[in-house]
Amino acid sequence: DHMKAARMLIYNHSTGRKVPVLGKHSKRIICGAWNSQNVLALGSEDRMLTCSSVEGDTIRSANLRYDPELAIFSEMKSTAAASRGSAVLNDSTVSFVVGRKTLFLFNLDDPENPIELAFQGRYGNIVGYR
């Protein structure tokens, strides 16, 4: 069984430019999401999360324990802004369901401290969230 290399392009409708997303994942990409700063987060069967700029450059990456699903960027208060007393929201946190039992929160501004919210098996699989 021969597998062809998967190719993914970022197409900029404004400029008509196609930017290849190369060498980021060794297996099939299974979910993704854009944020308002034009960052593309992708999750793959290689159990990797990558975040890329609109130019195709890798901004951040992380290893995951299981296959990711249901990628969503969310607005969260930044810790730095909160310490200054301002309520600045930004959508630099991407979340994934990992292994159908865990919600994985990855903040692009704090990549060393991802948050994993694990739910007990008796609650069943996570099938959606907002």
Side-chain angles (χ1 to χ4, degrees):
D1 205 55
H2 297 287
M3 289 184 56
K4 292 184 179 178
R7 298 176 199 261
M8 183 170 174
L9 296 172
I10 296 173
Y11 177 72
N12 185 326
H13 185 59
S14 301
T15 64
R17 195 166 148 233
K18 297 176 187 174
V19 179
V21 179
L22 301 171
K24 304 209 187 285
H25 294 279
S26 61
K27 294 188 178 178
R28 186 172 69 102
I29 294 168
I30 49 181
C31 60
W34 287 96
N35 76 358
S36 65
Q37 288 95 41
N38 291 321
V39 173
L40 174 62
L42 298 172
S44 171
E45 288 178 343
D46 59 8
R47 297 182 177 171
M48 283 287 299
L49 148 67
T50 59
C51 296
S52 303
S53 70
V54 72
E55 291 83 27
D57 300 323
T58 301
I59 298 168
R60 300 273 188 256
S61 64
N63 293 311
L64 304 169
R65 294 176 202 236
Y66 302 99
D67 289 350
E69 301 175 87
L70 306 172
I72 299 174
F73 270 100
S74 337
E75 289 185 343
M76 294 182 72
K77 285 184 183 176
S78 93
T79 310
S83 67
R84 291 189 306 266
S86 62
V88 174
L89 292 175
N90 68 34
D91 63 347
S92 62
T93 299
V94 64
S95 56
F96 293 88
V97 172
V98 179
R100 299 194 172 142
K101 304 269 187 242
T102 302
L103 195 57
F104 183 85
L105 305 170
F106 186 79
N107 186 330
L108 301 179
D109 300 327
D110 190 12
E112 301 302 316
N113 297 301
I115 298 169
E116 292 186 57
L117 303 172
F119 296 89
Q120 295 178 10
R122 65 185 166 126
Y123 293 117
N125 292 337
I126 300 172
V127 296
Y129 69 101
R130 284 280 167 210

